[in-house]
Amino acid sequence: MRSIWNGSISFGLVSIPVKLFTATENHAISFRQIHTADGGRIRYRKVCELDEQEVQSAEIGKGYEDADGAVIPITDDDLAALPLPTARTIEIVAFVPLASVDPLQMDQAYYLSANGVPAAKPYTLLREALSRSRKVAVAKFALRGRERLGMLRVVDDVIAMHGLLWPDEIRGPEDVAPEGNVTVRDAELDLADTLMDTLGEVDLDSLHDDYRAAVEELIAAKSESGGSISPATTEKTGGDAQVLDLMAALKNSVRAAKDSHGGPPDAAEKPPAKVTELDSRKRTSAPKKAPAPKKSTAAKKTTATKKATGVKGTTAAKATASTARKPAAATKKAGTEKAGTKAATEKAATEKAGTKAATMAATEKAATKKAPAKKAPARKRTSA
């Protein structure tokens, strides 16, 4: 890497000899201008307006055109004779926090290297002082015929310098902001925050120039085919497109970002479950009603089982007694009613007969006693 400037850093009374190297390079693909009819190169020639003759670079100097249109020649010797202390010196004027430097002022970046072995110690001193203070140095320097503003900071083990534009070279943002009063809803801001969190951070080293790669492929394809290929048609996404539904666009963006990053679906996208509050009286009474039937049924089943068996039986016997209880009670009641009706009928017949023979009365009396004797076992069986 070739240095483009030699000088020194003025750090108070400390002078540090340094070399200046360009820290960036341009990888953009450059094109030549050609004549479309025959492919011939289009070149620019520097021609003097007075004699219309082409002029070589060695014959070209500098001149300043004033408001009246007159050109005032300025030579390199005139510029070198200027009392400019920063002609060969990067003069540090202050140390400030990095946040105080407006990124709009950032310009070309350079690396500063210690020029020679004696410069290594003061160079390292300045580098370590910058690292420990967590500040940057604001400096003035002259390069390519003009004085410029610079910012020194530490990058790894090297001091880097960013050229800064002068404050009066930064244009104001007037007439750039959207016209009219535009309001943004909180829900839209929340979705924007979600989208920012979903996209997260990125390793800048993983980013690359897709356009340059596509142009290189196009050049290679045209070179192999002799210069004639059918360009692929691509979908145009114009700046004239308008977002009609901002909320829908934000939601789709969040969904697409999660899919591309492989993240889980956000529970916040689902509508929250609706909770219905119950009346306090209903919440109090409901638990009391529910256990009551269960307790009563269980008690009835237990009583029926004990009466039916009289002893501890098997689970099947308990179930049978519980199931047969209601039919047995109905049978017992019907038998009692039938016996009572028959007894009433026999009593009426006895009163009507009145004076029948004693033998017939005895016979009827025996029959009457015999009938209950037959029913008693039936009631006992029913009860069993």
Side-chain angles (χ1 to χ4, degrees):
M1 193 160 47
R2 187 172 62 89
S3 64
I4 61 172
W5 181 90
N6 291 341
S8 62
I9 300 175
S10 176
F11 179 32
L13 297 178
V14 178
S15 181
I16 310 170
V18 292
K19 292 182 178 180
L20 191 68
F21 299 86
T22 303
T24 61
E25 55 187 359
N26 188 1
H27 289 166
I29 297 175
S30 59
F31 297 100
R32 302 292 186 183
Q33 291 185 331
I34 61 172
H35 186 198
T36 56
D38 54 16
R41 285 278 303 276
I42 303 298
R43 298 180 181 272
Y44 291 98
R45 291 184 173 89
K46 298 178 180 180
V47 177
C48 178
E49 291 182 350
L50 298 179
D51 56 18
E52 297 183 354
Q53 297 293 322
E54 186 176 352
V55 181
Q56 301 299 322
S57 297
E59 302 177 274
I60 299 175
K62 298 181 180 68
Y64 176 79
E65 184 177 1
D66 61 13
D68 298 332
V71 178
I72 303 172
I74 302 295
T75 66
D76 291 339
D77 293 337
D78 294 335
L79 296 175
L82 291 175
L84 188 63
T86 58
R88 284 291 172 186
T89 304
I90 299 173
E91 182 182 357
I92 295 177
V93 296
F95 292 89
V96 299
L98 177 60
S100 65
V101 179
D102 191 344
L104 286 174
Q105 292 182 255
M106 295 288 187
D107 201 1
Q108 181 69 45
Y110 306 94
Y111 287 135
L112 292 171
S113 171
N115 190 3
V117 176
K121 182 67 178 287
Y123 181 94
T124 304
L125 173 65
L126 176 60
R127 184 192 66 195
E128 295 303 315
L130 286 171
S131 297
R132 189 167 67 173
S133 67
R134 297 183 179 179
K135 293 183 178 180
V136 296
V138 177
K140 295 170 66 176
F141 67 102
L143 182 65
R144 298 191 177 106
R146 61 185 294 255
E147 189 174 53
R148 305 178 64 186
L149 199 61
M151 180 191 75
L152 277 64
R153 69 185 184 97
V154 177
V155 177
D156 296 334
D157 293 332
V158 177
I159 299 175
M161 183 174 68
H162 296 268
L164 299 178
L165 299 176
W166 295 99
D168 59 359
E169 293 179 319
I170 305 297
R171 292 179 176 177
E174 293 81 6
D175 302 328
V176 178
E179 297 180 0
N181 295 327
V182 181
T183 58
V184 180
R185 294 179 296 171
D186 291 339
E188 294 169 340
L189 281 174
D190 292 341
L191 278 174
D193 291 341
T194 303
L195 178 58
M196 292 169 62
D197 294 338
T198 304
L199 291 175
E201 300 179 355
V202 65
D203 182 7
L204 295 180
D205 292 335
S206 66
L207 302 179
H208 53 86
D209 190 347
D210 294 329
Y211 178 76
R212 188 186 72 185
V215 172
E216 290 174 347
E217 291 178 4
L218 174 64
I219 293 172
K222 279 209 167 190
S223 176
E224 293 176 359
S225 63
S228 59
I229 62 170
S230 299
T233 57
T234 57
E235 234 180 86
K236 292 184 178 180
T237 57
D240 297 336
Q242 296 181 356
V243 179
L244 300 180
D245 190 343
L246 184 58
M247 290 291 290
L250 286 169
K251 289 179 181 178
N252 293 335
S253 299
V254 171
R255 190 178 298 110
K258 287 178 180 176
D259 292 342
S260 63
H261 287 69
D266 191 358
E269 293 183 8
K270 298 180 180 180
K274 185 177 181 182
V275 179
T276 304
E277 291 291 337
L278 298 177
D279 186 73
S280 58
R281 292 174 295 178
K282 292 181 180 179
R283 288 197 298 267
T284 305
S285 59
K288 291 182 179 179
K289 291 182 179 180
K294 294 182 179 179
K295 184 176 181 181
S296 177
T297 304
K300 288 180 180 180
K301 289 182 179 180
T302 305
T303 305
T305 304
K306 289 181 178 180
K307 288 183 179 180
T309 57
V311 293
K312 186 183 292 183
T314 61
T315 305
K318 290 181 181 181
T320 304
S322 176
T323 306
R325 183 180 180 279
K326 289 184 179 180
T331 304
K332 180 179 179 181
K333 184 177 181 182
T336 306
E337 291 177 355
K338 185 176 180 181
T341 303
K342 189 171 183 180
T345 304
E346 291 175 352
K347 183 178 180 181
T350 304
E351 290 177 355
K352 187 177 180 181
T355 58
K356 284 186 179 182
T359 52
M360 292 180 64
T363 303
E364 290 176 358
K365 188 176 181 181
T368 305
K369 291 180 180 180
K370 187 178 181 181
K374 293 178 181 179
K375 299 299 179 178
R379 285 195 299 271
K380 189 174 183 181
R381 285 195 302 271
T382 303
S383 175

